Amino acid sequence: MPMLKIFVGTMYGGALDVAEQVKPLFEEAGFEVAILENPVLEDLTGSDTDLALFCVSTTGSGDYPGNFVPFARAIAEQSPGLSSLRYGLIALGDSSYGETFCGAGRQLDELLQGQGAQRLGERLEVDAMETFMADDAALPWAEEWIESQALKVA
Ligand SMILES: Cc1cc2nc3c(=O)[nH]c(=O)nc-3n(C[C@H](O)[C@H](O)[C@H](O)COP(=O)(O)O)c2cc1C
């Protein structure tokens, strides 16, 4: 069974909730799913990662949540090269923060692509000003992502 790892960056649990809500969709699609609340670089570079999904909120002024900082720093500093990685990204933010809206998710996207990773489909940006429960946006996005990227495992 292929492995989907969901990497979570969260301050208040919203992004973790999204990860937990979308998990069954991927299980139904034939994946083994692991949710990583305190990810380390080896979780990403290990040969058992067939697909990655990042659920990351933004704090401060466009910053990564604390639990995600060491992981993102390790990618930037150790520059592992991720050309075999395919991933999706769900960014949580709040447009009332203006220019730093979904800053962590956007930063992460750039970081991963800079390492040669391939994003499948578009990044989802969930705006807390418009969507009270992030799941309401994330669930349909995940369904569509599985469909449009033909992720279902026979
Ligand atoms: C102190 C603080 C700073 C924040 N800074 C930003 C920001 O710079 N950009 C943004 O888009 N959202 C920002 N947000 C909004 C959060 O990203 C948003 O509420 C998100 O849904 C929280 O998800 P979580 O529960 O996974 O932490 C901030 C929220 C707080 C409380």
Side-chain angles (χ1 to χ4, degrees):
M1 208 181 258
M3 167 69 92
L4 167 73
K5 290 185 183 171
I6 307 183
F7 294 81
V8 175
T10 186
M11 295 297 290
Y12 304 106
L16 176 60
D17 187 46
V18 164
E20 286 168 347
Q21 295 291 326
V22 300
K23 184 180 180 204
L25 297 179
F26 291 97
E27 288 172 337
E28 279 160 27
F31 286 86
E32 186 179 340
V33 181
I35 295 178
L36 305 168
E37 295 180 52
N38 289 294
V40 294
L41 183 56
E42 290 68 31
D43 293 322
L44 192 59
T45 54
S47 59
D48 62 338
T49 311
D50 298 297
L51 184 65
L53 177 63
F54 296 88
C55 296
V56 178
S57 71
T58 294
T59 190
S61 278
D63 302 322
Y64 293 117
N67 75 305
F68 205 80
V69 169
F71 172 73
R73 189 180 291 146
I75 300 175
E77 288 177 356
Q78 297 181 37
S79 194
L82 298 169
S83 55
S84 59
L85 180 71
R86 298 176 314 145
Y87 70 95
L89 205 165
I90 299 175
L92 278 67
D94 184 328
S95 59
S96 67
Y97 286 86
E99 283 193 355
T100 65
F101 175 57
C102 285
R106 293 176 181 183
Q107 231 186 107
L108 176 67
D109 213 359
E110 239 175 70
L111 182 63
L112 294 169
Q113 290 185 35
Q115 293 295 318
Q118 184 197 355
R119 191 188 64 232
L120 301 181
E122 295 300 317
R123 177 177 68 221
L124 173 66
E125 295 186 342
V126 184
D127 184 355
M129 286 291 279
E130 288 177 359
T131 311
F132 180 60
M133 294 297 290
D135 310 345
D136 290 343
L139 279 166
W141 177 90
E143 275 171 6
E144 160 68 16
W145 194 57
I146 290 167
E147 195 66 33
S148 64
Q149 301 300 322
L151 298 176
K152 205 168 191 157
V153 184

